[in-house]
Amino acid sequence: MEVFSKIFSLKIMLLFLISFPVLAQDHEIMEKSMMQDHNDPGLEWSGCPDFMPEGCKIAVLHGDPAEKNVDIFFKVPANSKIPNHYHTSVERMVLIAGELEVTYEGEKTQTLKVGSYAFGPAGKPHSAKCGDSPCVLFIGFEEPLDAIPVVTKN
C-alpha cells in the first residue's frame, strides 16, 4: 500500500509540473498587462451619475462596469462635494491627485493625500469633499460599478 501511495504521489506531482507551464501560457494569451496614467490625453473619460458634482468624470481602466472586478479613475473638480452615497461592492481606493476628505457613516472624517489607500465596505454610506485642486481617485470594485445616493429624510 505504501509503494502504491508513493507512486500515486509522484504521478500527481509529475502531472502538475507538466501542466503548470501550459496553464501559465494560456493565462498570458488571455490577458495582457497594462499601465495607465491619469494625465494620458488618450484616456476616455465619461460622465458620472446625475447626483454627483458637475464636472465629475469616470475613466474605466480595466474590466466592464456592468461586470465584476472593474477598475476606474474617478475625477472631480477642486472644491467639489460628493454627496452621501453607497456602493453594492467594496471599494479599494488610492488617491492619485489632490486631497480628499472622506466621511463614512458613523466614523470620523479621514483626509486622503496623494498615495493614500482607503478601503470602503459595501453598502456603507459615505460622502467626500475635494480640496483646492482637482481630485483623481483610483477605485477597484469587486462587483459591478454603481453609486446609489442616500436620500435624507427631513
Side-chain angles (χ1 to χ4, degrees):
M1 185 69 168
E2 186 177 322
V3 172
F4 175 75
S5 178
K6 286 182 180 180
I7 291 172
F8 182 73
S9 295
L10 286 172
K11 284 183 178 180
I12 294 296
M13 184 181 293
L14 184 59
L15 182 61
F16 175 76
L17 291 173
I18 291 170
S19 300
F20 184 72
V22 173
L23 293 173
Q25 288 172 353
D26 287 347
H27 183 70
E28 289 175 34
I29 292 169
M30 292 172 35
E31 189 169 19
K32 292 185 177 186
S33 63
M34 56 120 14
M35 190 214 72
Q36 191 65 61
D37 186 293
H38 73 284
N39 289 318
D40 183 345
L43 196 57
E44 293 183 31
W45 293 93
S46 20
C48 295
D50 292 341
F51 73 92
M52 288 290 179
E54 187 175 332
C56 175
K57 299 286 182 191
I58 293 174
V60 176
L61 303 171
H62 184 263
D64 178 341
E67 301 290 329
K68 292 183 174 197
N69 297 317
V70 62
D71 296 333
I72 67 166
F73 279 148
F74 174 77
K75 177 168 60 172
V76 293
N79 302 307
S80 293
K81 290 184 181 176
I82 300 164
N84 206 19
H85 67 284
Y86 66 94
H87 308 280
T88 54
S89 175
V90 300
E91 54 182 341
R92 292 179 173 87
M93 303 164 276
V94 176
L95 189 66
I96 305 298
E99 188 170 296
L100 188 70
E101 291 181 350
V102 181
T103 307
Y104 277 87
E105 189 173 90
E107 297 181 23
K108 206 170 118 178
T109 299
Q110 301 288 319
T111 301
L112 300 178
K113 297 183 185 287
V114 171
S116 295
Y117 168 82
F119 173 83
K124 189 157 193 177
H126 56 285
S127 60
K129 183 179 184 313
C130 182
D132 294 333
S133 60
C135 292
V136 179
L137 195 61
F138 164 83
I139 308 174
F141 292 94
E142 291 180 1
E143 298 297 325
L145 174 60
D146 64 7
I148 300 142
V150 175
V151 180
T152 55
K153 297 176 185 175
N154 292 333

